[in-house]
Amino acid sequence: TGTRGETGARKGDRGEGGGVRKKMDIPIGENIMFGRRLVYSHHIINPNKRAAVVNWAIELGLSGCSKIGWPGVIVVEGLEQNVREYIHALSRLKWKYLAVRGEEILHGKEGDTVDSLRAFPRGFQEFGVDCMSEMAKLCRDCGVESLFQTLFKKKGLSESQ
């Protein structure tokens, strides 16, 4: 009842204000820049914005989750250039408040792929209004609890090599 999987949002709905460009090819090797972001919003309620959050992540090959309601929270990961495009597209929508609270950038090593660097399973999950603890558990189970803690302004920018 509290979540919607990657097929939960209406296909083809780009929400308000445009959308994202096409999904990029997935590189292999040490050229990979892999990014994660935690985004805080005053709220995520509007059905078009909810669809955009899910659909744009899927279109760009990103993984992660969002929690609707007050506050709204988005955790996303994938190829760094796609994460940047996603954040840029979201920022073009009209929000009462939207801010990146946490960021991680990983530098790929020889043999790494985007999928091997993922913490979250492929796809994107939407949690319901009262499901912050379920979102926190997913982040903890996926090994990104410190990124989730940036929601509470406890940690800052981190970069791994």
Side-chain angles (χ1 to χ4, degrees), residues 30-154:
E30 57 192 64
N31 297 345
I32 293 176
M33 293 291 290
F34 188 87
R36 291 190 185 103
R37 302 291 188 285
L38 182 129
V39 181
Y40 171 89
S41 172
H42 177 268
H43 64 269
I44 303 174
I45 297 298
N46 180 299
N48 290 330
K49 287 181 186 171
R50 287 175 57 189
V53 166
V54 174
N55 289 336
W56 292 348
I58 292 166
E59 287 176 28
L60 288 167
L62 304 176
S63 307
C65 57
S66 62
K67 193 218 57 88
I68 63 170
W70 296 266
V73 182
I74 302 164
V75 182
V76 68
E77 68 175 2
L79 193 60
E80 175 63 16
Q81 64 193 28
N82 291 3
V83 171
R84 287 182 186 168
E85 172 65 23
Y86 179 77
I87 299 301
H88 179 71
L90 287 179
S91 70
R92 291 191 313 252
L93 301 177
K94 184 178 177 180
W95 299 90
K96 184 169 185 171
Y97 181 80
L98 184 77
V100 173
R101 288 248 179 113
E103 177 179 275
E104 294 178 355
I105 299 172
L106 307 173
H107 301 274
K109 298 181 179 101
E110 187 60 40
D112 283 342
T113 65
V114 171
D115 284 343
S116 73
L117 293 171
R118 289 184 198 277
F120 289 97
R122 277 186 80 67
F124 197 89
Q125 185 172 2
E126 180 184 80
F127 288 94
V129 173
D130 296 320
C131 296
M132 185 69 84
S133 60
E134 289 89 341
M135 184 181 197
K137 181 181 183 324
L138 176 63
C139 290
R140 188 171 39 257
D141 292 349
C142 291
V144 294
E145 183 175 21
S146 63
L147 181 65
F148 182 78
Q149 290 296 319
T150 64
L151 174 62
F152 310 105
K153 298 184 179 183
K154 292 184 178 182

